[in-house]
Amino acid sequence: MHGVSTTIPIQKDAILMQRDAKHRVSTKPMLNPENHLSLRDVHQNRLLTNKQHCRINGNLNTTSMETIRISLKLRTIAFIVGLFAFVACATISNFDQQAYIYTTSVKVDALNVMDLATTDYASHSKEVKELQTQLQKIYEYEKNRPKNEITLKQWDILLDPEGHLLGGYLKRWETQKTLSKTFVIEAKKLVDKAFDQIAGLESKKIKTSEL
Amino acid sequence: MATFDFQTLFDQLKKEVSNVAVTSVQQFKNEAEADALNLLENLKENLRTWTVQWALGAITKEDFEFLVMGQKELIQMNLLKQKGMALIDLDKFKIRLINQIVKIALSVI
């Protein structure tokens, strides 16, 4: 019994040693000459590729400098074009000679008609109608000018029949038949200045020659 | 190929924009201030005259009220004029700016 039990571990050890040896062989680097050559080739190829890469980088640097220059020029052009677009986008209408003449001309007519208010409205209704027609024409002209909202608002205030300038004055005259001399003089001063606000703004607008 | 320094262009433009803006704003401020003060002086004078006229019976209470309201509307019209003039100045500023930009850009490129 004792002899059998001692031989079995010896056999086991031998088997394990054989396995280890096989394993050691299999983990050793392969020294196949064919494989070794191919590695050298790979190394040479890598060197060659690096050289080529440097050459390509050199070309790339020149090309990228060109690209940057072109890009900067394009940026400048885009910047200038953008600014032109910004400037072209005016915020208010330009000066209109016709509108200015209409305004100053109708101002004289309006003040002359206002003077008639010391006498009965009925006897001057024709003059008042003519003035109103003239004012309507100017209003329509101003309404159709682009970016002319501010001037149009000024006209709205001046001509509003519910207001207290020209529109309100004509309505009051019609309602009361006649107006007092002192009141006419004082109201005329206000209407005179009101027309000046419109004409004054128009005259300050940018002329075509200034563009 | 001519060399181009974008930074120099921006630096010069920044300086010019600042100069143009300061001049434009100052000019507008002076004009607007003078216009508003003139209207205020006119309002004071008118109120004094109308009060005396009302007291003397040259105008009625309704006339007086109408004139005061008319003066108020005139001030509204003046405010619109100021607003319009500010926009005109903005447009003028833009024109001056673009002229400067083109001038500087052409000198730098």
Side-chain angles (χ1 to χ4, degrees), chain A residues 66 69-70 72-73 75-76 79-80 83-84 86-94 150 153-155 157-158 160 162-165 168-169 172 176 179-180 182-183 186-187 189-190 193-198 200-202 204-206 210-211, chain B residues 1-4 6 9-10 13 31 35 39 42 46 49-50 53 58-60 62-71 73-74 76-88 90-95 97-99 101-102 105 109:
Chain A
E66 282 291 315
R69 271 193 206 128
I70 292 165
L72 277 172
K73 283 220 161 190
R75 273 172 67 185
T76 315
F79 176 69
I80 291 168
L83 273 163
F84 268 115
F86 171 67
V87 169
C89 188
T91 48
I92 192 164
S93 57
N94 289 334
I150 293 179
K153 275 183 192 168
Q154 287 184 314
W155 278 107
I157 295 172
L158 179 65
D160 183 10
E162 303 305 316
H164 303 85
L165 291 170
Y169 178 94
R172 196 158 188 255
Q176 298 198 356
L179 299 169
S180 76
T182 314
F183 175 75
E186 294 305 314
K189 284 183 197 169
L190 291 179
K193 281 197 165 45
F195 271 107
D196 287 349
Q197 302 303 311
I198 300 173
L201 177 62
E202 192 61 42
K204 290 275 177 187
K205 288 179 183 174
I206 298 170
E210 291 178 274
L211 289 172
Chain B
M1 182 187 282
T3 53
F4 176 71
F6 207 70
L9 172 69
F10 271 111
L13 285 178
E31 279 177 28
D35 205 20
L39 200 74
N42 189 245
N46 280 346
T49 309
W50 299 334
Q53 285 173 344
I59 55 168
T60 63
E62 287 73 33
D63 289 341
F64 178 80
E65 282 173 353
F66 188 95
L67 292 170
V68 172
M69 291 303 286
Q71 182 76 55
E73 286 165 17
L74 181 63
Q76 284 176 346
M77 286 181 74
N78 182 258
L79 289 174
L80 284 167
K81 183 187 163 192
Q82 298 300 334
K83 193 179 164 187
M85 279 168 66
L87 293 178
I88 294 165
L90 176 67
D91 285 348
K92 282 183 180 171
F93 168 71
K94 286 199 272 185
I95 292 169
L97 189 64
I98 198 75
N99 287 340
I101 287 164
V102 171
I109 293 170

Side-chain angles (χ1 to χ4, degrees), chain A residues 89-124:
Chain A
C89 188
T91 48
I92 192 164
S93 57
N94 289 334
F95 175 72
D96 187 319
Q97 182 76 38
Q98 205 65 39
Y100 182 78
I101 292 169
Y102 286 156
T103 307
T104 47
S105 163
V106 82
K107 173 187 159 180
V108 176
D109 293 340
L111 293 176
N112 286 339
V113 170
M114 281 177 86
D115 263 337
L116 304 171
T118 48
T119 50
D120 192 20
Y121 179 86
S123 56
H124 300 293

